[in-house]
Amino acid sequence: MENEVFPLLKFSYDNLPNATMKCCFLYCCLYPEDYCIPKKRLVEYWFCEGLLDKFDRINEAQMQGGDIISSLLNACLLERDGEDYVKMHDVIRDMALWITRKFEATEDTFFVKAGAQLSQEPYVKAWERVKRMSVMKNEIQLLEETPKYPNLRTLFLSNNHLNVISDGFFQFTPHLTVLDLSKNWNLRALPKGISQLVSLECIDLSWTGIFELPMELKSLTKLKMLDLSYMSDLEYIPQYLVTSFSKLQIFRLWFEWSLPQTKDYPNEDNILNESNEKLIEELKGLKRLNILSTPIKSMFCLERFLSFDLFRRSTQALQLFDFGEPEMFDVLCLQNLERLETLQFIRFGIMEIKMEKLSTWVSSSTNSTSCFHALSTVQVFLCKKLRDMTWLILAPNLRNLDITGCHEMEEILSEEKLGEFVGVTGISYPKSFLKLETLDLRHLPKLKSIYRDALPFPCLKHILIMNCEELKKLPLNPDSAKGNLLSIKGSKGWWARVEWENEVTRDAFLPSFKLLY
């Protein structure tokens, strides 16, 4: 391979137009074989590493990052894996590792043992030269040494079995810029030595068991990205910690939807207390904030949140938790969140999500058919009184829809409300779900209809139906999802009860059915 194959493949690498693109390509070999690399996260890492032409703002860097990924795809150095991920072919990855060993030794010294079944932290012979290290997807439980990595900038430790990181582990890594500790579920605490990482610009703690953020993190004054997603044990973020990250541009705090409804958070100076009001106060002081994912736990907090222009410009993902007060919710109150991509409703006590003042909005809108242009994912969990989701006609680019545990849900798109929409707006029935790729419907005992007529579903790939016993018709005809390898998962009994428009339609979708275990 090294003598015959890699030199030929290296031709594509050598013909990349600049050093930036070459560095970004080699960065991808830090991930394990066959790993689905999230494109957005990859660009954020490149940004924090300073690889993207010294852009100062992540929104400026994202365009260049997207162009680099497109160029690497066109050069067949990366492969597409759906809309949001890329992969590196095993042979291309081996070639990239070969380049780092043979040609880039004087610049970027890589140490990559991702997915190598390590059970102990590795011994690195030439530790003082290592600049990028990845030991992702191993079985390391303990980091107890005090290594000296004077040039280390990148450390990927995700997908291990970490329990403990010694206080001295980070003592001699003064230039560490990106630290990924994600998916170490048994990691309960950060070491006090984390305060030594004064050059750190990015830390990912998502999917860890850490229950509190230590005040020692205040030393990380250069931090640009902090990810606290899916930390189900997180109970304490001290007041004034988040505001100390004055350069922070990316902040993600995201809970699992199955989190208990009433969770006691200790200490008065905890910004997780009081329906997240303190959290909002801290976040509004981050003047450079550009990408925000956050939970909101009351209507009062949401109204306050929406009053700040900073949040209207930066919010990409929003969780609305445990709104018990109103019976109705006007979804158009969110229309000014211009970059909103993901929206979750969790344990809403509301009966109806309305489109209030629709005529006023239409007359003031430059595009009168929709307002949630960026919205790609909507998830609704345990909203037991909610009856329909007709407002989704305002989200033309919706790709993923997941509705679970809504016991009163009868229709997804209500025929009556669609008629009202047409009457108020003067717009003919809008075509729905033209970008939808996945549709998951679970535990909806009263659901009878998704939509009254068959829909084209040009992008649909997956349908999952679980415990929706009254749903006997699917909005499909022989032209629906044409050319797609559609998968329809459900129980054998449910599939036998589905009523088809005709035998041609039934026969067309018979190969799509997959038994749901």
Side-chain angles (χ1 to χ4, degrees):
M1 294 289 281
E2 291 196 8
N3 293 331
E4 297 178 18
V5 178
F6 290 165
L8 294 174
L9 293 174
K10 188 174 178 285
F11 180 78
S12 296
Y13 170 79
D14 290 336
N15 278 279
L16 293 173
N18 52 56
T20 294
M21 203 170 289
K22 290 177 179 178
C23 287
C24 290
F25 164 70
L26 294 178
Y27 201 93
C28 296
C29 76
L30 293 171
Y31 293 92
E33 279 188 9
D34 298 319
Y35 193 84
C36 298
I37 306 171
K39 291 195 294 188
K40 287 183 180 177
R41 179 52 49 93
L42 184 61
V43 171
E44 288 165 3
Y45 283 173
W46 289 345
F47 167 68
C48 290
E49 297 270 12
L51 298 179
L52 299 180
D53 291 350
K54 308 296 182 186
F55 277 116
D56 193 41
R57 306 280 290 189
I58 179 61
N59 59 330
E60 298 165 350
Q62 280 174 324
M63 187 172 293
Q64 186 193 7
D67 290 342
I68 289 173
I69 288 174
S70 295
S71 297
L72 294 176
L73 287 166
N74 291 335
C76 297
L77 292 171
L78 290 178
E79 300 174 352
R80 282 186 178 83
D81 187 24
E83 193 76 24
D84 301 322
Y85 297 87
V86 291
K87 272 186 175 180
M88 190 176 246
H89 190 281
D90 293 353
V91 176
I92 298 294
R93 181 176 180 272
D94 290 342
M95 184 265 290
L97 291 169
W98 171 71
I99 290 172
T100 65
R101 290 193 302 270
K102 193 162 184 177
F103 299 98
E104 308 292 326
T106 55
E107 272 184 47
D108 286 6
T109 303
F110 283 61
F111 179 89
V112 181
K113 293 288 182 184
Q117 297 183 321
L118 300 179
S119 58
Q120 295 180 325
E121 60 185 282
Y123 170 70
V124 186
K125 190 175 180 181
W127 43 262
E128 57 282 300
R129 287 172 51 210
V130 174
K131 188 172 180 181
R132 308 203 191 282
M133 177 183 284
S134 174
V135 287
M136 288 177 66
K137 209 175 179 184
N138 283 294
E139 297 170 12
I140 301 168
Q141 297 185 29
L142 182 62
L143 296 175
E144 57 183 345
E145 302 294 329
T146 307
K148 294 181 180 179
Y149 294 125
N151 294 307
L152 189 67
R153 291 181 58 88
T154 312
L155 181 56
F156 285 5
L157 287 163
S158 65
N159 281 90
N160 273 281
H161 298 163
L162 283 175
N163 293 311
V164 175
I165 302 173
S166 71
D167 284 342
F169 184 80
F170 295 118
Q171 188 172 350
F172 301 109
T173 52
H175 299 296
L176 190 64
T177 305
V178 169
L179 175 61
D180 187 349
L181 290 168
S182 64
K183 295 181 182 174
N184 282 288
W185 290 275
N186 297 323
L187 186 62
R188 301 287 293 157
L190 289 170
K192 290 184 178 179
I194 196 88
S195 62
Q196 303 285 325
L197 300 179
V198 292
S199 298
L200 200 66
E201 296 193 15
C202 167
I203 183 167
D204 186 352
L205 302 175
S206 61
W207 298 101
T208 60
I210 293 167
F211 62 89
E212 70 171 272
L213 298 188
M215 275 307 273
E216 283 80 4
L217 288 174
K218 263 195 166 186
S219 303
L220 313 184
T221 55
K222 294 185 177 181
L223 206 62
K224 291 180 181 175
M225 182 187 124
L226 175 61
D227 195 334
L228 308 176
S229 302
Y230 299 105
M231 295 173 65
S232 55
D233 294 324
L234 184 64
E235 295 183 346
Y236 180 56
I237 302 176
Q239 203 166 358
Y240 309 122
L241 174 62
V242 173
T243 37
S244 68
F245 306 135
S246 60
K247 296 185 178 180
L248 200 68
Q249 297 191 36
I250 304 167
F251 178 81
R252 294 186 175 100
L253 177 64
W254 200 255
F255 293 120
E256 291 185 77
W257 66 268
S258 55
L259 197 72
Q261 186 163 0
T262 53
K263 184 168 180 176
D264 293 326
Y265 293 107
N267 302 325
E268 287 185 6
D269 66 339
N270 184 356
I271 66 169
L272 296 178
N273 272 331
E274 296 180 17
S275 302
N276 293 83
E277 291 172 44
K278 290 181 178 177
L279 173 63
I280 292 170
E281 285 300 307
E282 297 254 326
L283 291 175
K284 74 184 179 73
L286 301 176
K287 303 304 181 187
R288 301 179 69 81
L289 191 65
N290 199 265
I291 295 175
L292 174 63
S293 300
T294 186
I296 301 288
K297 294 189 175 181
S298 74
M299 195 65 206
F300 172 78
C301 271
L302 179 61
E303 289 170 353
R304 179 156 174 72
F305 179 85
L306 294 172
S307 70
F308 293 103
D309 186 56
L310 174 69
F311 300 145
R312 291 198 295 268
R313 285 185 281 108
S314 62
T315 303
Q316 283 193 358
L318 193 63
Q319 274 185 322
L320 302 180
F321 258 104
D322 298 325
F323 279 38
E325 314 99 358
E327 287 195 353
M328 311 293 179
F329 178 76
D330 179 16
V331 74
L332 286 176
C333 73
L334 305 177
Q335 66 175 305
N336 291 324
L337 299 178
E338 56 200 45
R339 297 172 62 196
L340 186 65
E341 296 176 3
T342 299
L343 179 60
Q344 275 190 3
F345 297 93
I346 302 169
R347 290 189 297 268
F348 251 44
I350 57 173
M351 295 171 62
E352 187 176 8
I353 298 178
K354 299 193 77 170
M355 298 173 277
E356 290 283 353
K357 301 178 182 175
L358 197 55
S359 55
T360 306
W361 165 70
V362 169
S363 63
S364 64
S365 174
T366 54
N367 183 347
S368 57
T369 58
S370 58
C371 62
F372 296 104
H373 291 284
L375 192 60
S376 63
T377 298
V378 172
Q379 296 170 313
V380 184
F381 301 121
L382 303 177
C383 298
K384 296 184 178 179
K385 297 179 182 178
L386 195 59
R387 293 174 183 167
D388 70 88
M389 291 289 290
T390 311
W391 72 270
L392 291 174
I393 58 174
L394 301 177
N397 298 310
L398 188 70
R399 290 197 283 123
N400 308 292
L401 177 60
D402 186 348
I403 305 176
T404 298
C406 300
H407 296 165
E408 297 297 320
M409 183 82 64
E410 296 178 0
E411 304 168 283
I412 304 302
L413 299 181
S414 161
E415 188 173 347
E416 180 184 344
K417 288 187 181 177
L418 283 172
E420 292 174 6
F421 177 85
V422 172
V424 170
T425 63
I427 302 165
S428 60
Y429 279 92
K431 291 182 179 178
S432 304
F433 300 141
L434 290 178
K435 299 287 181 70
L436 196 69
E437 296 176 12
T438 65
L439 175 62
D440 287 7
L441 303 174
R442 300 179 178 92
H443 307 294
L444 310 175
K446 293 187 178 181
L447 183 68
K448 293 180 180 178
S449 167
I450 294 172
Y451 185 63
R452 61 175 188 171
D453 297 322
L455 292 167
F457 289 124
C459 300
L460 192 62
K461 296 173 185 174
H462 304 285
I463 297 176
L464 185 149
I465 308 293
M466 179 192 288
N467 294 337
C468 301
E469 300 304 318
E470 295 296 314
L471 183 64
K472 295 173 183 176
K473 289 186 178 181
L474 297 175
L476 301 173
N477 65 22
D479 293 321
S480 301
K482 212 161 189 177
N484 299 349
L485 292 173
L486 179 63
S487 162
I488 304 176
K489 289 186 177 181
S491 69
K492 194 174 180 179
W494 167 77
W495 183 251
R497 291 193 301 274
V498 173
E499 299 170 3
W500 298 98
E501 184 180 284
N502 50 48
E503 287 186 13
V504 175
T505 304
R506 183 196 65 192
D507 293 345
F509 291 100
L510 197 58
S512 298
F513 179 67
K514 305 285 187 296
L515 189 60
L516 181 66
Y517 293 99

